[in-house]
Amino acid sequence: MTIKKQIPNTITLLNLFCGCIAMVFASKADFEMAFYFVSLGIFLDFFDGFFARLFQVSSPLGLQLDSLADMVTSGVVPGIVMYQMMGSTSGYPKFGWALEPFPFLGFLIALGSCYRLANFNIDTRQTDSFIGLPTPANALFILSLPLVLRYSDSFFVLELLTNPFVLVGITLLSVYMLNAEIPLFSLKIKQMSVKKNALQIGFLISSVILLVSFQYAGIPLVIVLYVLLSVANNALAKMNRLG
């Protein structure tokens, strides 16, 4: 029983280990390797909860470990990536200071992620679904941006993702979405019914199409689609209640 109890916690710590490695790569502006290790950490983050439920060994310790690991993998790493992206652009106002302040705004993502994770642990409304963008989804969105920039041939994308004010805007939007009071539908399929899971199935099929068609550029599109579908689903549910 003791060994089974530690399996989910071990997986959580492996998530943290992946986050630490991703931090090293992100600090060296190796965004591709940082993306891969964050993705692996998020994959492990899914399975720690899966095994905790499977073995019926969920615990307050596991909950705290999970948030602490996510803070590194899905909070600090995207903050570093945005800092690096902002630091590599030009066009900031010049103050004549030895240290330009704008790139450090990227770490607002880490602060927003920390607040969300702390709030998630005490918010009983988020047991089956989410309110605000989950930190793993936000991390994938941010970490995909430098890869979109690297592999895109679009001049518009180049201009967009190297504009410092656009990057500041993305950072502020990221912080807002992490903590916004916007219910997002759960991807968990609880009943084997196509009709009852039409939204989830449609989203997953659309996600695969976007990823196959656009590769790295499909990742932010998937996250945006997730938010838009959730907003539309909320509006439809509200109309049905009023009707």
Side-chain angles (χ1 to χ4, degrees):
M1 178 63 184
T2 303
I3 296 176
K4 288 170 62 175
K5 189 174 182 179
Q6 293 306 319
I7 288 176
N9 292 341
T10 301
I11 296 174
T12 302
L13 292 175
L14 288 174
N15 169 20
L16 176 59
F17 184 59
C18 289
C20 291
I21 296 174
M23 284 176 61
V24 174
F25 283 115
S27 66
K28 296 179 180 179
D30 189 340
F31 300 124
E32 198 153 6
M33 290 302 296
F35 175 85
Y36 291 146
F37 275 99
V38 165
S39 298
L40 179 57
I42 291 172
F43 177 79
L44 292 168
D45 181 45
F46 171 81
F47 277 101
D48 61 3
F50 172 80
F51 281 107
R53 292 187 294 270
L54 179 66
F55 297 144
Q56 297 182 339
V57 292
S58 299
S59 67
L61 173 63
L63 179 65
Q64 298 305 319
L65 277 177
D66 187 69
S67 290
L68 291 170
D70 282 349
M71 182 57 217
V72 174
T73 305
S74 299
V76 176
V77 176
I80 295 174
V81 168
M82 184 56 75
Y83 165 82
Q84 294 280 25
M85 290 187 71
M86 288 184 179
S88 66
T89 63
S90 60
Y92 294 108
K94 301 299 181 183
F95 297 100
W97 300 346
L99 186 63
E100 293 292 348
F102 276 91
F104 289 96
L105 291 175
F107 288 110
L108 289 174
I109 294 172
L111 303 185
S113 298
C114 182
Y115 188 89
R116 177 192 164 70
L117 288 167
N119 189 47
F120 180 82
N121 285 350
I122 60 174
D123 191 345
T124 56
R125 299 174 300 168
Q126 300 191 58
T127 54
D128 295 321
S129 59
F130 301 107
I131 298 176
L133 190 65
T135 52
N138 184 68
L140 290 176
F141 180 89
I142 298 298
L143 268 78
S144 69
L145 297 181
L147 301 181
V148 172
L149 180 61
R150 177 179 179 182
Y151 291 105
S152 176
D153 297 325
S154 170
F155 179 76
F156 174 75
V157 171
L158 175 65
E159 286 291 305
L160 196 67
L161 295 182
T162 56
N163 185 306
F165 298 104
V166 170
L167 294 178
V168 170
I170 291 173
T171 297
L172 296 177
L173 179 62
S174 168
V175 173
Y176 169 75
M177 288 304 303
L178 283 166
N179 297 284
E181 286 287 317
I182 302 175
L184 303 178
F185 66 87
S186 174
L187 295 177
K188 296 178 182 178
I189 296 178
K190 298 179 180 180
Q191 299 180 17
M192 301 305 294
S193 169
V194 174
K195 183 177 180 180
K196 292 184 178 180
N197 296 291
L199 181 61
Q200 288 85 348
I201 294 172
F203 170 70
L204 292 174
I205 293 174
S206 300
S207 298
V208 171
I209 293 173
L210 288 172
L211 292 173
V212 171
S213 301
F214 299 102
Q215 287 81 51
Y216 287 121
I219 297 171
L221 294 177
V222 168
I223 305 303
V224 171
L225 177 64
Y226 177 49
V227 174
L228 292 178
L229 284 178
S230 295
V231 172
N233 185 56
N234 295 338
L236 183 60
K238 184 177 180 179
M239 289 175 59
N240 290 335
R241 287 196 301 269
L242 294 175

